[in-house]
Amino acid sequence: MSIPTLVPRDLLPRPEWTLLRIGVGTVIPVLVVFGLVWQGVPPQFTLIVLLMIGSQVSIALAQAQKEMLAATTSYFQPGLGRRVGQAQLFWGVVLPAATTTVFGLIARDVGTAVLGSTFGLTMIVHALMSWATLRLWWAFQLPAWMFYFFFMPMAIRKAAVVSGLLDVAQRPAIWLAIGLLALVLLVRYASSRNLQRRLHDTIVLGPEAIFNPGRVQAYKQRSRRHAQVLGGPAWRRRVLARFIRRAGAARRRGDAEGARRWQLLSANFAANVSPRPLVVPLLLLGILAMTVVFGYVQGSGSLRGSWYSGLVYQVGLAPLFGLAMMLLAAPLDGVSRRVGFRAELAAILVTTLASAVIAILLKVFSEALAGMLPPLDWRGSVRTFTPAPLHGLWLVPLTAPFAWLALALRPRPQCALPNMFLIFGFFIGHGLMTGLPYVQTVPAYAALSVVVFAVAFWLRRRWWRRADLPC
Amino acid sequence: MSEQPVARLRGVSKFYGATRALADVTLDIMPGTIVGVLGPNGSGKTTLMGHLPGLLVPTAGTVETFGRPATSLDDATLARIGYVSQEPRLMDWLTVAESVDFVRAGRPTWDDALAARLLADFDLDADKRVGALSPGLRQRLAILLAVAPEPDLLLLDEPAASLDPVARHDFLLLLMELIQQEGRTILISSHVLSDVEKVVDTVLVINQGRVHCHQPLDNLREAYHRVDLSAIGGELPDPLPLPGLLAVTGDRRRAMAVCGHVARRDVESAANALGADASVRGLAFEEIYRLIATTDGRKV
């Protein structure tokens, strides 16, 4: 492999965007590094933050290369795969070198063994993040997900888990060997024809797609063009068939509102539940992992209340994601304005109810785990699993009106506003209920939710009165 | 020694989950042929074309391109292939000129003069960012990038779908020019049969993943006939005793029949023997295509 053949276009295929993405992904960790140095916090925390910065850079670089490989002409471009592999090798050496240098400058007395381990660890992080970005279609979410892992060490900063990190880092040979192996595997993967074949002519989603559900939808439509919308596992087919049967039955008995309601719910279900048989089991596994990890992280008692263990309630918002798609993208023909609005209201209520049921199931599941999972003792630090807090049970349904309000403010099927309102509403509500007594926060949040619902109700009813229906 | 096919497919099937896109396809694409790949939406045209450069891996069967397994073509062989998809993905962050430079850098056979001429003919502004181009201009750029390296095998999957009539006309002229260069093989799929008819010499009709017909266009034209019959002083026999009779419309006084897979002189002599006023003529390409596409898998 000849490094001199590398050109800037291969190393940094989309310079402006890549630098912007790196900037957005690293601004908080960089500030935290300054804060840690200022406060004289032990160097292991600096190392974690530097690894976080490295991972954000790796993701942004791999993302740009992925976009380049996805172009129609790239598959036929001689040597492009090899050049992408070379670029990965280049960054796989330069990034660890930069991280190690910065760490050495900040923590001057950690010793060469730890610095060697830092080099190896950064190689591992780079290889893992780059591979995940190139391999996973949903890798555009990785920069956001990384922050969960980033803040966790902060939550357990007093625990021996982190303070023991430098002990582990006393064996540089192991980390360097693993890092080298990971880098070789990454270069092999990045150069492979299989990757080019997989990416050829596909829509590649960047981190900005989080705020662009239209692009995500376009990706899904394209990737599922060979899949049957009503297909998938037997249980999915049965649920969809049931919804459609109910819509048909309502239509036959002259219940236009019921028909429309079931039509909306079936559209929402089909859009939210993937027909791929492995997706739902994998998501359930993810929820299990999230509940366990966040439960034990919370066990440190370093944060007030139950911030981490309550994050699992985000899953309860799932039926509400894509609300605008459900309510606005479905065909409106044959629906009067009055029926349309009433069916929308009913669909919102049913979806909110579904969210509340999921929140209850999460709470029950979390309590069951609390009864089963033993305390963990690692290096003298005992960590007890903390179940999800109670407030998720009402926080999730009370957040639903925020999405409806966003939809009312900007009634466009592919607008990201409803999802953003949901996420911010949840985090603000969760933060308040975690940090302040329920007696103050719950009535306030409930009152706000009712006001939001009333405004959304008024706006949507007005919209239905004035909207142009398709002819 | 007989000529080696550019692409050889043997028993190729392709499934996407439970959906069958290709079913036991066996065919040879000979060098220098201009093949029109025709079929309704979802018939398997794109899937078939995707197998030739190894973009798709067959579920069953084998595909060889330029004598090598299509899924393991080397760089040099891939550089001999040009490909335009229905919705080409381009590097939106580059300018048109940078996109041209990017592809040009890896293609030793790049024709600068042709690229410059196409830039002008297609009204492409070299300094404009690709992301800012309209869908039609993007398609033109994709065609330029596929054609300018002078590939031996050119795969055009609905290349004119988003072109306006003038650009489509220019594109057809370009195709005709490319066809003049001997040895070049072109596969083109399109729904605009009048366009296809002007440029192809071989027709490949595919439906529900099965090949219904793979024949030279001239052979097809010679194999299908329309017979207009008017009874003289009596009635036409029922059924009409015509060879290769495929369809009849009309009544016992006047009828129009379609005959296939039979020589014109045989049809003419059978029609004349009826004692009626008979005229035999060839079918329009569009009518031939409709007949083939609706024969439900019967080989023509």
Side-chain angles (χ1 to χ4, degrees):
Chain A
M1 222 175 248
S2 51
I3 294 294
T5 61
L6 278 174
V7 292
R9 189 185 282 161
D10 301 328
L11 289 171
L12 204 61
R14 204 180 171 183
E16 295 89 357
W17 269 100
T18 307
L19 292 174
L20 179 68
R21 287 167 179 167
I22 290 174
V24 171
T26 57
V27 63
I28 294 175
V30 167
L31 290 175
V32 171
V33 167
F34 279 114
L36 292 175
V37 174
W38 185 262
Q39 291 174 17
V41 172
Q44 49 269 45
F45 292 103
T46 310
L47 175 57
I48 287 171
V49 182
L50 288 177
L51 288 177
M52 165 73 177
I53 292 172
S55 69
Q56 293 283 3
V57 174
S58 301
I59 290 168
L61 291 170
Q63 180 73 42
Q65 288 174 333
K66 190 177 180 181
E67 286 169 335
M68 183 170 71
L69 288 173
T72 308
T73 51
S74 294
Y75 180 81
F76 301 94
Q77 199 66 5
L80 182 64
R82 195 169 54 247
R83 275 161 31 216
V84 169
Q86 288 173 349
Q88 282 296 345
L89 182 63
F90 174 85
W91 289 117
V93 175
V94 168
L95 264 180
T99 307
T100 308
T101 306
V102 172
F103 186 50
L105 289 172
I106 293 172
R108 289 174 186 277
D109 52 353
V110 289
T112 50
V114 172
L115 290 180
S117 297
T118 303
F119 196 97
L121 281 167
T122 318
M123 277 168 103
I124 295 169
V125 168
H126 171 73
L128 197 64
M129 288 298 130
S130 302
W131 174 83
T133 305
L134 292 171
R135 178 68 180 79
L136 304 170
W137 78 266
W138 52 269
F140 67 99
Q141 300 172 0
L142 280 178
W145 284 107
M146 286 305 295
F147 278 92
Y148 284 96
F149 297 101
F150 172 60
F151 284 117
M152 258 192 280
M154 301 301 128
I156 53 177
R157 57 194 285 181
K158 285 178 185 166
V161 177
V162 175
S163 62
L165 184 63
L166 290 191
D167 298 341
V168 177
Q170 293 297 338
R171 295 190 183 116
I174 294 174
W175 297 115
L176 284 169
I178 297 173
L180 201 61
L181 179 66
L183 191 59
V184 168
L185 290 175
L186 169 69
V187 171
R188 223 176 115 86
Y189 181 68
S191 321
S192 71
R193 184 75 71 199
N194 268 344
L195 177 67
Q196 286 183 282
R197 189 175 289 132
R198 167 184 278 273
L199 292 177
H200 173 79
D201 231 8
T202 54
I203 296 175
V204 174
L205 302 167
E208 56 280 358
I210 291 174
F211 303 107
N212 188 351
R215 199 163 157 73
V216 178
Q217 193 64 15
Y219 171 86
K220 284 185 177 174
Q221 275 173 0
R222 199 175 157 93
S223 65
R224 290 179 190 173
R225 64 188 185 276
H226 298 296
Q228 293 164 327
V229 178
L230 302 181
W235 65 270
R236 184 182 186 272
R237 291 200 306 269
R238 270 201 298 272
V239 172
L240 272 172
R242 194 181 174 88
F243 281 5
I244 292 166
R245 251 198 327 271
R246 291 209 170 190
R251 198 173 293 116
R252 277 193 297 278
R253 63 172 183 270
D255 177 10
E257 185 197 320
R260 169 79 177 150
R261 184 178 68 239
W262 285 110
Q263 181 208 347
L264 290 175
L265 292 173
S266 62
N268 196 28
F269 185 83
N272 273 328
V273 181
S274 170
R276 294 183 180 173
L278 276 180
V279 171
V280 173
L282 282 175
L283 280 176
L284 290 175
L285 267 179
I287 293 168
L288 171 67
M290 193 162 129
T291 313
V292 171
V293 171
F294 286 168
Y296 274 118
V297 168
Q298 199 62 60
S300 68
S302 60
L303 280 182
R304 274 191 303 167
S306 44
W307 169 261
Y308 263 99
S309 59
L311 286 179
V312 75
Y313 284 118
Q314 290 169 96
V315 178
L317 301 175
L320 296 159
F321 283 117
L323 193 73
M325 288 277 184
M326 169 178 80
L327 296 178
L328 299 173
L332 298 170
D333 55 306
V335 175
S336 72
R337 287 178 162 77
R338 184 171 169 276
V339 165
F341 175 67
R342 287 168 67 97
E344 176 176 323
L345 188 62
I348 287 280
L349 293 176
V350 172
T351 313
T352 305
L353 190 67
S355 285
V357 169
I358 293 175
I360 293 168
L361 290 175
L362 288 167
K363 176 66 180 163
V364 171
F365 178 60
S366 179
E367 290 293 341
L369 282 179
M372 289 188 289
L373 294 174
L376 292 182
D377 185 352
W378 196 70
R379 300 172 75 89
S381 169
V382 178
R383 312 186 59 75
T384 313
F385 179 84
T386 307
L390 196 62
H391 65 245
L393 297 180
W394 52 82
L395 174 66
V396 169
L398 287 177
T399 306
F402 290 88
W404 201 34
L405 175 65
L407 169 76
L409 291 173
R410 204 169 164 77
R412 293 182 187 168
Q414 298 178 345
C415 177
L417 208 59
N419 289 359
M420 288 167 69
F421 269 44
L422 267 183
I423 292 167
F424 287 119
F426 174 84
F427 275 101
I428 291 168
H430 180 48
L432 288 173
M433 288 178 205
T434 303
L436 296 169
Y438 284 169
V439 69
Q440 294 169 7
T441 53
V442 175
Y445 196 81
L448 180 66
S449 182
V450 169
V451 171
V452 164
F453 182 85
V455 174
F457 183 94
W458 178 71
L459 286 173
R460 288 302 292 159
R461 195 173 58 175
R462 196 179 63 155
W463 184 88
W464 272 101
R465 282 178 182 160
R466 296 178 180 182
D468 290 330
L469 298 182
C471 43
Chain B
M1 201 172 79
S2 64
E3 216 171 9
Q4 288 293 310
V6 169
R8 185 198 295 266
L9 288 84
R10 291 289 174 271
V12 174
S13 295
K14 178 69 178 175
F15 283 83
Y16 296 103
T19 309
R20 188 184 63 188
L22 283 185
D24 197 23
V25 171
T26 293
L27 58 90
D28 289 338
I29 306 291
M30 301 310 290
T33 52
I34 317 297
V35 184
V37 184
L38 308 174
N41 288 332
S43 57
K45 302 188 294 290
T46 300
T47 304
L48 176 72
M49 290 175 99
H51 276 87
L52 302 192
L55 287 167
L56 298 173
V57 181
T59 311
T62 58
V63 182
E64 283 182 9
T65 305
F66 294 117
R68 304 173 62 112
T71 48
S72 52
L73 296 178
D74 58 15
D75 281 351
T77 311
L78 277 174
R80 296 171 65 190
I81 303 174
Y83 183 84
V84 179
S85 62
Q86 292 175 42
E87 293 173 51
R89 301 274 143 213
L90 300 167
M91 296 183 202
D92 288 349
W93 59 94
L94 299 181
T95 63
V96 170
E98 286 169 340
S99 295
V100 169
D101 282 346
F102 182 87
V103 177
R104 181 176 175 271
R107 302 295 187 102
T109 54
W110 182 270
D111 184 340
D112 279 319
L114 177 62
R117 185 163 67 77
L118 290 179
L119 269 178
D121 288 354
F122 285 171
D123 284 332
L124 287 164
D125 180 352
D127 297 325
K128 199 163 187 179
R129 246 174 32 85
V130 174
L133 297 178
S134 67
L137 286 175
R138 290 170 68 87
Q139 191 76 6
R140 292 180 206 193
L141 177 59
I143 291 167
L144 184 157
L145 297 175
V147 166
E150 302 218 302
D152 294 328
L153 171 62
L154 186 56
L155 303 168
L156 304 166
D157 188 4
E158 304 268 3
S162 51
L163 298 183
D164 58 58
V166 174
R168 214 174 72 216
H169 175 73
D170 290 348
F171 171 63
L172 282 176
L173 289 179
L174 170 69
L175 263 187
M176 286 175 182
E177 184 187 315
L178 292 170
I179 290 162
Q180 305 304 317
Q181 297 169 23
E182 278 185 22
R184 174 161 295 152
T185 310
I186 301 176
L187 267 77
I188 176 169
S189 77
S190 174
H191 286 300
V192 186
L193 296 178
S194 55
D195 286 357
V196 173
E197 188 182 8
K198 284 176 194 158
V199 292
V200 306
D201 55 34
T202 304
V203 172
L204 197 160
V205 179
I206 187 166
N207 197 1
Q208 295 183 335
R210 290 185 186 281
V211 173
H212 283 212
C213 159
H214 182 209
Q215 290 222 351
L217 181 58
D218 290 342
N219 288 9
L220 283 178
R221 285 209 171 104
E222 286 165 14
Y224 286 90
H225 316 282
R226 170 180 166 152
V227 187
D228 290 302
L229 294 164
S230 294
I232 303 172
E235 288 190 334
L236 294 168
D238 185 20
L240 287 170
L242 294 172
L245 186 66
L246 293 174
V248 183
T249 55
D251 52 32
R252 302 293 291 273
R253 303 275 312 157
R254 295 170 67 85
M256 192 276 282
V258 174
C259 301
H261 330 303
V262 62
R264 182 176 177 137
R265 62 174 178 278
D266 295 339
V267 178
E268 280 174 340
S269 54
N272 291 334
L274 291 172
D277 182 14
S279 77
V280 180
R281 60 186 176 87
L283 280 182
F285 179 57
E286 201 167 328
E287 293 171 301
I288 295 174
Y289 166 70
R290 229 182 355 251
L291 268 174
I292 297 169
T294 53
T295 50
D296 198 24
R298 278 190 288 133
K299 295 272 183 189
V300 177

